[in-house]
Amino acid sequence: MIILRLANSRAHIVRPFIDTRRTFSFPPYRDPRYIHFSDLQTINDDRVQFAWQVPWHEHKNMEIFGYVVEGSSHHVDSLGNDVEVPAGAVQRMSAGTSIWHTEGNTADTPNRYLQLWIRTNQQDVDPRWSWHQFTRDDKLNKFCNITEKLPIYADARLLAGIFTQDYTYELDKNRQYYLYTVLGSLTVNGHALTEGDGLSFTTENTLEITRATEAEIILFDLA
């Protein structure tokens, strides 16, 4: 079964410092139809204005990716990391017992990054944070396994690809998948997608990409 979630059906929250679109329930947005998908808890598509940082706050027992699409994301945490994470890079935070952090935009232009939360399958591990720069070639017309470079405590993988041509990817019908369109437009299993559109897959064997016009997508492979 494949279910389409259109971009314009997400929550759209605008504040002076941030413009965010939320696929799943995340304060102050709550929709009982969209609490989570398998262990995928959060897809927040954020655009943060210059010189703004999220207030210092704590996370526990959650796997959190920051997928930087445009600009850069300034990350500071209680483990001693203070890093400007550039576009094309992904940061991974395994919150474990506890990690405090702040993130935001110290560049002179708005940024865009995706907050991607996956529920952990191991409680109270030591917290850790790292990041990796992925290139266009890493993702061009194939899926790059982000979690190979940034492993998590979960039965899940985060895959990313930039597609300019048709592509077929075999799915395991015993697992669940969620696809999110980051940039561009393409057709997946007959569904025309543009930025912010999503597709969930259950008991499916194949993902078919056609008519891609420089489209970047992420794919969650979930139990």
Side-chain angles (χ1 to χ4, degrees), residues 95-187:
T97 54
S98 174
I99 185 169
W100 288 78
H101 83 121
T102 177
E103 61 189 353
N105 184 8
T106 55
D108 59 1
T109 57
N111 69 3
R112 180 184 173 208
Y113 63 92
L114 309 178
Q115 289 192 63
L116 312 171
W117 294 23
I118 297 173
R119 292 187 299 214
T120 184
N121 61 8
Q122 296 188 41
Q123 298 291 304
D124 298 329
V125 299
D126 290 337
R128 59 182 182 173
W129 180 91
S130 61
W131 70 285
H132 185 81
Q133 180 74 56
F134 295 91
T135 68
R136 175 182 170 82
D137 285 345
D138 289 334
K139 297 181 280 187
L140 186 60
N141 292 313
K142 61 187 175 185
F143 278 120
C144 171
N145 184 359
I146 302 298
T147 37
E148 188 173 48
K149 294 292 185 181
L150 300 169
I152 58 176
Y153 297 108
D155 183 6
R157 295 190 303 159
L158 173 60
L159 310 175
I162 298 172
F163 295 96
T164 60
Q165 61 189 39
D166 294 356
Y167 182 79
T168 300
Y169 184 73
E170 297 302 317
L171 304 177
D172 180 344
K173 68 179 182 179
N174 297 310
R175 294 181 65 80
Q176 302 180 74
Y177 300 84
Y178 196 91
L179 182 151
Y180 186 80
T181 312
V182 180
L183 292 166
S185 62
L186 73 168
T187 297

Side-chain angles (χ1 to χ4, degrees), residues 5 25 45 51 55-57 63 90 102 123 146 157 166 175 182 187 204-205:
R5 178 80 191 275
S25 295
D45 198 328
W56 193 250
H57 61 284
E63 302 296 324
V90 181
T102 177
Q123 298 291 304
I146 302 298
R157 295 190 303 159
D166 294 356
R175 294 181 65 80
V182 180
T187 297
E204 293 290 327
N205 293 314

Side-chain angles (χ1 to χ4, degrees), residues 61-96:
N61 292 320
M62 187 67 71
E63 302 296 324
I64 300 174
F65 290 102
Y67 190 105
V68 186
V69 182
E70 299 171 6
S72 61
S73 177
H74 184 209
H75 170 93
V76 183
D77 65 40
S78 55
L79 303 180
N81 299 296
D82 186 339
V83 180
E84 197 74 28
V85 183
V90 181
Q91 57 178 325
R92 183 265 289 122
M93 181 164 56
S94 291

Side-chain angles (χ1 to χ4, degrees), residues 183-208:
L183 292 166
S185 62
L186 73 168
T187 297
V188 179
N189 291 53
H191 296 275
L193 306 177
T194 59
E195 182 180 313
D197 290 338
L199 286 178
S200 61
F201 297 80
T202 54
T203 63
E204 293 290 327
N205 293 314
T206 307
L207 186 156
E208 293 277 356

